[in-house]
């Protein structure tokens, strides 16, 4: 295990923001994860687990503890295809989009709508990554993780992960307790693609015939590109952490109140249990922030209102100030409290 000191974190984040980690370790094996956690404990240091850095806002002062980058690699596939399923055991440090590409090549359905999402496999169960009608919760079979409290490896079934919209036990009640090292996904060989999302249906309707998994994944990438949600070198619109706020899930009463506060009827999506998901992007626009809005070097993406971006040399402080102004405007206008989506480090 190689411990580095004062390692700049900005290059490890899609925002390109953040000061140094006081200590930094890249773990390539489960033993190294354990060793790093023990080292942090012995030194009385806080520990932060870094994956792909695509959902992070790191403080300008950095992190005064140990940053553990999970670098475990490898994908193992079940030789025997059980009735209608194929299992992939994927090390947490694998690139998520690379894994999606592989499953599509293998003609296995289940994650094709999650193409083009930046980050690593280990982060997917933590925030229950979801997009275009799919969520990893529906294909995760098991999560293996290091338990810092018990100092041992443990495994969770999907039911034990406590998945909900952008939520799991790993980012809620057990936040910071586990280091995810492997995720097992159960996919469907020869399965049909998921075509639930209106945007996606629209894009694919043009081609006529029933689309293949590869066509759906390609369409998702095109939509993401158009929204600045695909990483493209040198494009400031994607220097972000994806969606900066969660879409608020509200009651019918609250929807009525929002409608009364606006000339336009709010777009709405069913969220189960009689609840409604309102697009945070729409609320933000109605509250006066348009695409391309700038506050110093921080800004709103010119292609999607929900992405706050680093226009070049932005500080975490500037991003947070813009986020604060946006949330305050939405609160004043609609009485709805927006919740931030990225993980804040050292803030
Ligand atoms: N909208 C606007 N203005 C915009 C963009 C969107 O008003 O600039 C409204 C429209 O009414 C649109 C609705 O918002 O129909 C939904 O927009 P979109 O399909 O782009 O989805 P989103 O709600 O902005 C969510 C996820 C994304 C995910 C997409 C696609 C959250 C917080 N975000 O975004 O996930 O890729 O749906 O499924 O749930 C992420 O979490 O970082 C992320 C990118």
């Amino acid at each position: 295990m190689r411990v580095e000191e004062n390692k700049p974190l900005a290059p490890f984040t899609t925002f390109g923001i953040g000061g140094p980690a006081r200590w930094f370790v890249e773990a390539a094996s489960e033993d190294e994860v354990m060793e790093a956690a023990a080292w942090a404990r012995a030194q009385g240091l806080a520990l932060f687990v870094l994956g792909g850095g695509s959902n992070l806002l790191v403080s300008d002062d950095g992190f005064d503890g140990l940053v553990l980058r999970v670098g475990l690699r490898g994908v193992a596939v079940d030789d025997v295809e059980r009735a209608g399923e194929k299992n992939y055991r994927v090390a947490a440090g694998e690139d998520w989009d690379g894994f999606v590409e592989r499953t599509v090549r293998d003609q296995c359905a289940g994650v094709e709508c999650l193409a083009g999402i930046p980050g690593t496999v280990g982060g997917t169960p933590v925030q229950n990554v979801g997009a275009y009608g799919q969520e990893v919760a529906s294909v995760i079979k098991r999560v293996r993780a290091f338990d810092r409290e018990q100092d041992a490896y443990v495994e969770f079934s999907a039911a034990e992960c406590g998945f909900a919209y952008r939520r799991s036990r790993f980012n809620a009640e057990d936040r910071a307790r586990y280091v995810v090292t492997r995720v097992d996904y159960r996919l469907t060989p020869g399965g049909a693609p998921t075509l639930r999302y209106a945007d996606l249906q629209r894009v694919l309707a043009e081609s006529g015939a029933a689309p293949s998994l590869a066509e759906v994944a390609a369409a998702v990438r095109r939509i993401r590109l158009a929204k600045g949600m695909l990483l493209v070198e040198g494009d400031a619109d994607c220097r972000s952490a994806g969606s900066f706020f969660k879409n608020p899930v509200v009651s019918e009463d609250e929807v009525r109140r929002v409608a009364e506060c606006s000339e336009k009827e709010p777009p709405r999506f069913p969220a189960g249990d009689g609840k409604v998901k309102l697009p945070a992007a729409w609320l933000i626009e109605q509250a006066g922030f348009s695409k391309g809005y700038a506050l110093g070097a921080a800004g709103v993406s010119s292609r999607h209102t929900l992405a706050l971006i680093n226009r070049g040399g932005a500080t975490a402080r500037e991003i947070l100030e813009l986020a604060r102004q946006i949330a305050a405007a939405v609160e004043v206008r609609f009485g709805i409290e927006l919740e931030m989506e990225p993980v804040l480090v050292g803030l």
Side-chain angles (χ1 to χ4, degrees), residues 80-156:
V80 206
E81 270 184 27
R82 254 160 269 169
E85 66 179 63
K86 191 159 173 170
N87 292 308
Y88 290 80
R89 307 181 132 201
V90 193
E94 284 289 329
D95 174 57
W96 169 256
D97 195 32
F99 169 61
V100 172
E101 248 177 72
R102 162 156 191 191
T103 65
V104 167
R105 248 193 341 265
D106 292 353
Q107 312 274 349
C108 280
V111 290
E112 64 282 356
C113 297
L114 303 177
I117 295 178
T120 54
V121 161
T124 61
V126 176
Q127 58 151 343
N128 183 16
V129 163
Y132 301 101
Q134 284 178 337
E135 264 184 1
V136 288
S138 63
V139 289
I140 285 177
K141 189 174 179 184
R142 190 169 292 110
V143 174
R144 185 172 162 84
F146 177 68
D147 180 351
R148 296 175 58 209
E149 266 174 34
Q150 303 293 324
D151 199 23
Y153 279 91
V154 287
E155 295 192 4
F156 299 99

Side-chain angles (χ1 to χ4, degrees), residues 2 55 63 116 148 155 183 218 232 266 321 325 341:
R2 193 163 73 95
N55 196 42
F63 182 71
R148 296 175 58 209
E155 295 192 4
V183 186
V232 178
E321 176 53 24
Q325 290 186 14
E341 214 249 334

Side-chain angles (χ1 to χ4, degrees), residues 36-59:
W39 187 80
R41 196 181 318 118
Q43 316 275 320
L45 296 170
L47 181 123
F48 178 76
V49 181
L50 176 68
S54 55
N55 196 42
L56 292 185
L57 183 59
V58 179
S59 152

